[in-house]
Amino acid sequence: MQSEYQHLIDLNDYPVSWWKRVVELGEEIRNDPDRFAHECDGKVMATLFYEPSTRTQMSFQTAMIRLGGKIIGFDNPMNSSVSKGETIKDTTKIVSSYADILVMRHPTAGAAMAAALTAECPVVNAGDGGHLHPTQTLTDLLTLKIEKKSLDGLTIGMCGDLMNGRTVHSLCKALSQMKGNRFIFISTPELRMPEYIRDIIKASGSTFEEVHTLEEVIGRLDVLYMTRIQEERFASKEEYLAQKNTYVLDRRKMQFARRDMIVMHPLPRVDEITDEVDNDPRAMYFRQAKYGVYVRMALILTLIKENRPFTLLRGKTYANVSCGNPKCITNHEHYLPKSFRYSGDETLLECEYCDERKLI
Ligand code: NCD
């Protein structure tokens, strides 16, 4: 299905050269923001946030304002017609006709794809449930480029809720497309990295290992990417409490890390990094959040200026086959075509919205 507008649903819809261009533009903007102050004069960005956000929403809004544009939107869907039962399809159709670019965050996997199907302007995925968060990844890539001077040949430890953390899913997909990166996943068995991400890494030729403690690997890392245990994605409070506080980065553990290791975190942190680490020069998470504005300025500019036609849903629908993931948007918004891509194995289909696999 062809869309007239260019969207960012998943970074892997684009070649690596495109992401590198956006990141480089982000760096240019950081070095001379005034040069870009009128690039979006007269343009409007809509932010539709169906889920809480501080950094992503405000950095997008700041980005558009710093480009000279204006913003509309909601951060509490209960104050909009969503509370009356309006579908993503209708909300998107209308709001996109008011705006030049639409940024959406939603608790359900595949929601940005659903929005792009009816939008009349570019749609940006600002986080779709536990699935993906491509603009956090652009932020992370800019941070690595500035602070580690490279996106290749890094040993990256990812720690915490690797099952539900969308930021680490997107970042793994991206860094596995670069050269020679090695991943070390630090999690409990319950919160290990999903199989489809592990398969993407294997197919890319990058390597990964899985361990259960931070202490055993911290001394080998170039980058430690800490994540929050995603309380809101657990089925029960008990399951969350059983995972809470498993991994806490503190000054003692930092003593075993290399002098040039950097600590990243998409934020918000809860208790997985103690405050005492904030003063360590290797703590990069506040700077990382600031870099998010520059890279989002670069992304807004790129999508508005390039605006090339974009292919959505390349796969097929199959009679009586629906996605088995209860958190997939196709199981919430029933008008959506249930489209699957063929995985190369005749009995295995992959949902085009949430990437969940299904045996038929
Ligand atoms: C993350 C998110 O929303 O996925 N935050 C962010 O966008 N910077 C991480 C999180 O909520 O844990």
Side-chain angles (χ1 to χ4, degrees):
M1 183 188 285
Q2 201 69 1
S3 165
E4 267 182 68
Y5 307 97
Q6 187 173 339
H7 310 287
L8 176 59
I9 315 280
D10 176 345
L11 273 179
N12 294 60
D13 291 331
Y14 291 91
V16 175
S17 55
W18 186 89
W19 327 338
K20 285 193 169 165
R21 252 196 299 125
V22 175
V23 170
E24 272 158 26
L25 180 58
E27 205 172 3
E28 249 182 77
I29 296 173
R30 172 186 179 239
N31 295 336
D32 187 4
D34 292 348
R35 189 151 68 82
F36 298 86
H38 297 288
E39 291 285 326
C40 283
D41 279 355
K43 301 284 185 200
V44 174
M45 178 179 74
T47 50
L48 302 188
F49 276 61
Y50 292 74
E51 223 188 24
S53 168
T54 303
R55 273 149 295 274
T56 305
Q57 182 181 211
M58 289 193 200
S59 67
F60 260 114
Q61 295 177 339
T62 307
M64 189 48 148
I65 292 168
R66 291 202 185 280
L67 289 167
K70 298 221 166 18
I71 54 171
I72 58 169
F74 59 69
D75 55 14
N76 178 356
M78 286 305 126
N79 291 338
S80 77
S81 288
V82 173
S83 65
K84 302 176 189 165
E86 188 167 64
T87 58
I88 287 186
K89 181 179 169 186
D90 290 0
T91 308
T92 307
K93 179 101 190 140
I94 303 306
V95 177
S96 65
S97 73
Y98 301 155
D100 299 285
I101 186 163
L102 189 156
V103 180
M104 179 191 261
R105 167 169 290 191
H106 199 278
T108 313
M113 168 77 91
L117 292 175
T118 41
E120 293 177 15
C121 71
V123 171
V124 178
N125 182 4
D128 58 333
H131 185 219
L132 295 174
H133 194 346
T135 70
Q136 180 64 45
T137 296
L138 290 172
T139 303
D140 299 342
L141 295 179
L142 179 59
T143 306
L144 290 173
K145 184 148 190 293
I146 295 173
E147 302 297 342
K148 295 301 291 181
K149 310 276 178 274
S150 178
L151 302 178
D152 305 302
L154 298 169
T155 300
I156 306 125
M158 296 185 172
C159 178
D161 189 347
L162 307 185
M163 167 68 73
N164 301 300
R166 54 194 172 197
T167 61
V168 283
H169 301 164
S170 284
L171 187 57
C172 279
K173 286 179 73 172
L175 287 176
S176 65
Q177 300 305 306
M178 310 291 176
K179 283 192 216 75
N181 289 321
R182 296 165 297 276
F183 299 92
I184 303 183
F185 299 140
I186 308 145
S187 76
T188 59
E190 292 80 12
L191 298 184
R192 72 189 284 217
M193 190 59 85
E195 191 186 9
Y196 85 93
I197 298 286
R198 285 181 273 132
D199 285 349
I200 289 172
I201 296 174
K202 280 185 209 153
S204 74
S206 296
T207 58
F208 71 86
E209 53 187 290
E210 295 180 284
V211 300
H212 300 311
T213 68
L214 196 45
E215 287 86 338
E216 64 190 288
V217 293
I218 195 165
R220 288 161 52 200
L221 305 177
D222 297 309
V223 180
L224 172 59
Y225 197 102
M226 293 296 293
T227 65
R228 170 179 73 91
I229 307 296
Q230 308 272 306
E231 179 174 4
E232 68 278 25
R233 312 225 188 274
F234 282 77
S236 68
K237 185 92 181 166
E238 289 67 44
E239 285 168 80
Y240 165 66
L241 291 175
Q243 298 292 333
K244 190 179 178 283
N245 287 336
T246 315
Y247 301 104
V248 179
L249 182 66
D250 55 16
R251 193 152 46 189
R252 191 187 62 79
K253 292 194 189 94
M254 285 297 283
Q255 285 172 2
F256 302 107
R258 297 218 303 247
R259 294 181 68 86
D260 63 350
M261 184 193 83
I262 61 169
V263 183
M264 295 173 66
H265 191 306
L267 303 177
R269 89 175 125 183
V270 183
D271 39 27
E272 58 280 359
I273 303 180
T274 59
D275 290 333
E276 60 192 17
V277 178
D278 297 356
N279 296 327
D280 189 305
R282 295 168 291 183
M284 218 47 71
Y285 29 93
F286 296 127
R287 240 187 263 177
Q288 181 185 353
K290 188 161 178 204
Y291 295 153
V293 174
Y294 305 121
V295 91
R296 289 183 172 106
M297 288 169 79
L299 177 68
I300 293 169
L301 268 181
T302 304
L303 290 181
I304 287 184
K305 297 235 153 134
E306 270 184 7
N307 209 17
R308 300 199 198 112
F310 189 90
T311 307
L312 293 161
L313 303 185
R314 295 158 192 268
K316 288 205 310 188
T317 54
Y318 295 79
N320 303 320
V321 178
S322 53
C323 179
N325 175 6
K327 295 179 180 168
C328 175
I329 192 70
T330 56
N331 290 317
H332 297 260
E333 305 251 334
H334 297 288
Y335 57 83
L336 290 167
K338 295 174 176 42
S339 185
F340 295 87
R341 61 177 96 81
Y342 173 59
S343 70
D345 169 342
E346 276 178 30
T347 57
L348 198 63
L349 298 178
E350 250 171 31
C351 174
E352 282 207 272
Y353 297 81
C354 73
D355 294 309
E356 176 95 351
R357 290 160 179 183
K358 178 152 190 127
L359 280 170
I360 51 165

